[in-house]
Amino acid sequence: MHPFDSKNKRYNFISTIERFQVAFSNKNRQKLRYNYGREYGRNDKGWYLPEQKVQENLELAYAISVHKSQGSEFDYVYIVIPKRDSHLLSMELLYTAITRAQKKVTILLQEDIGTLTALGHLEKSAVRRINSSVFAFNPLPEELLYIQNWYADEKKLATLSEYFVRSKSEVIIANMLVSEEVPFVYEEPLYAPDGTMFLPDFTVKFRGETYYWEHVGRLDLPDYRAHWEIKEKWYEKNFPGKLLITYEGKDLSTAAMDIIKGHK
């Protein structure tokens, strides 16, 4: 019940409004106005305006959050999705919003469809990002809680495997591993005896032996190069002979296949 509802006793004073006008701001309808109430005389065409009651011609519109709408249904639903990504925006939230509509749903996107298409990736599932289990509790290592985007906010590229990865080069490597039937895990935490930890791009197995595959992509960036030099020395110290490396370039596919064939 809104204030203009004649049954709303709390706002009886509003019923004293005798007239009001609704003007359209659309460029094509700037001169179009609807008048309600008494004493408006004639419209633009010279027609006399009939007397109408305010409370019978005005209905307030509301916008509510998807969370607030859960459990409710509406004939027509308009979903507004901003361009800026948010950790609250997930495929489950979109599903909830869409299923509120009984007749028609309209999705309004800011600028482009990138945010919407990203919600189709499994990595955008809020359920998959929850660190819990119905049958067993397996907490994440504390170190991972301080790694930005660990929960796959940047993993948007699909592969032939179950994993979504961060770069097109990693897509090539992952798909080659699948095609050659090489078992692997993407970004599995690797701990050294001293307790330090890094995330190898791929942890692979050849002939029962475990290796760690790193794809080095942006050595042109000083921070990236410095981080890689630290990481490479860490592998040499803690896992000698277990590091496999590919570099960004036009020969990536050939180099990756040479590694696979050389270890199978």
Side-chain angles (χ1 to χ4, degrees):
M1 182 179 295
H2 56 68
F4 283 99
D5 195 319
S6 59
K7 297 179 182 179
N8 193 339
K9 304 302 181 182
R10 183 179 178 183
Y11 296 96
N12 280 337
F13 67 94
I14 295 182
S15 63
T16 60
I17 296 177
E18 295 183 349
R19 59 185 181 272
F20 68 94
Q21 185 181 76
V22 178
F24 285 85
S25 60
N26 187 292
K27 292 182 179 180
N28 298 325
R29 308 177 70 181
Q30 286 182 344
K31 296 182 179 180
L32 184 58
R33 291 175 170 81
Y34 287 102
N35 302 306
Y36 298 98
R38 296 181 298 175
E39 300 178 8
Y40 262 106
R42 302 170 183 264
N43 61 15
D44 295 338
K45 296 183 179 180
W47 299 344
Y48 282 101
L49 297 171
E51 179 180 343
Q52 302 184 57
K53 295 183 179 180
V54 174
Q55 60 267 30
E56 293 179 357
N57 291 280
L58 181 64
E59 182 177 351
L60 301 185
Y62 298 91
I64 60 176
S65 68
V66 178
H67 293 90
K68 185 73 173 179
S69 72
Q70 293 188 66
S72 301
E73 291 183 334
F74 309 91
D75 287 343
Y76 302 95
V77 170
Y78 294 84
I79 305 171
V80 180
I81 299 180
K83 181 178 181 180
R84 182 178 179 181
D85 197 7
S86 169
H87 69 281
L88 295 176
L89 195 57
S90 65
M91 61 169 59
E92 290 85 2
L93 192 72
L94 179 62
Y95 172 82
T96 300
I98 291 175
T99 53
R100 298 311 92 202
Q102 291 185 305
K103 293 183 178 180
K104 182 179 180 180
V105 60
T106 301
I107 300 178
L108 305 175
L109 303 169
Q110 183 181 9
E111 294 190 18
D112 58 57
I113 65 171
T115 306
L116 179 62
T117 55
L119 292 176
H121 298 160
L122 292 178
E123 301 295 345
K124 294 299 293 184
S125 168
V127 174
R128 287 169 59 92
R129 294 199 301 264
I130 295 175
N131 178 31
S132 64
S133 173
V134 175
F135 304 104
F137 178 62
N138 298 307
L140 286 174
E142 184 177 356
E143 292 86 347
L144 297 185
L145 301 178
Y146 301 99
I147 298 179
Q148 186 178 9
N149 295 321
W150 165 250
Y151 283 116
D153 286 349
E154 292 183 351
K155 298 178 186 176
K156 298 180 179 180
L157 301 178
T159 68
L160 296 177
S161 70
E162 62 185 290
Y163 302 107
F164 281 75
V165 297
R166 303 177 188 275
S167 70
K168 293 181 179 179
S169 296
E170 289 180 336
V171 171
I172 294 173
I173 296 171
N175 289 347
M176 293 179 70
L177 291 172
V178 171
S179 299
E180 295 297 320
E181 299 182 346
V182 178
F184 72 94
V185 179
Y186 182 68
E187 289 194 348
E188 182 177 57
L190 176 62
Y191 290 90
D194 61 1
T196 56
M197 184 273 294
F198 276 105
L199 300 175
D201 291 334
F202 302 93
T203 300
V204 300
K205 282 188 177 292
F206 292 112
R207 300 179 182 178
E209 292 288 330
T210 300
Y211 294 86
Y212 309 104
W213 189 324
E214 293 283 2
H215 179 70
V216 183
R218 298 303 307 272
L219 291 178
D220 57 311
L221 301 177
D223 290 344
Y224 184 98
R225 176 183 288 274
H227 178 73
W228 166 243
E229 290 175 353
I230 294 173
K231 197 173 185 179
E232 187 175 23
K233 291 179 180 178
W234 182 84
Y235 276 113
E236 292 174 356
K237 175 183 177 181
N238 297 289
F239 303 96
K242 296 294 185 179
L243 178 62
L244 307 175
I245 306 174
T246 50
Y247 295 91
E248 192 71 19
K250 61 181 181 179
D251 298 326
L252 170 60
S253 296
T254 301
M257 185 56 70
D258 288 343
I259 289 177
I260 294 173
K261 295 297 185 182
H263 288 80
K264 285 188 69 175

